[in-house]
Amino acid sequence: MTEKVADGLQHVATFCGQCSCGCPELYVDPAADDDRRVVITDDFGQAIRMSLAQLAVIVDDARNGVLDGLLLDAE
């Protein structure tokens, strides 16, 4: 379930969350245009925006193993 934050974004997920380093987070901006509705922030205060359709492609690719090789190389 999402939680609302002060700037109107709905928090969806924190990636890591095991520290206080400003972990990457995923938000939904219900007030944004469709092509900018998803917001992903990084550890350095930067953000990218994308559509829900673009996020769906990333999720599908992850489910289908497209990113597995990248993760193996990071270990």
Side-chain angles (χ1 to χ4, degrees), residues 10-11 15 18 21 28-29 31 41 43 50 57 60 67-68 74:
Q10 295 176 336
H11 184 262
F15 305 104
Q18 304 301 314
C21 66
V28 172
D29 184 350
T41 61
D43 299 28
M50 66 180 68
V57 170
D60 286 343
L67 304 174
D68 290 350

Side-chain angles (χ1 to χ4, degrees), residues 29-65:
D29 184 350
D33 292 336
D34 288 344
D35 63 341
R36 298 178 45 82
R37 183 128 327 150
V38 176
V39 181
I40 299 176
T41 61
D42 68 12
D43 299 28
F44 309 104
Q46 301 298 310
I48 61 165
R49 288 182 170 257
M50 66 180 68
S51 68
L52 286 169
Q54 290 170 314
L55 178 62
V57 170
I58 294 170
V59 170
D60 286 343
D61 282 352
R63 284 183 181 147
N64 292 321

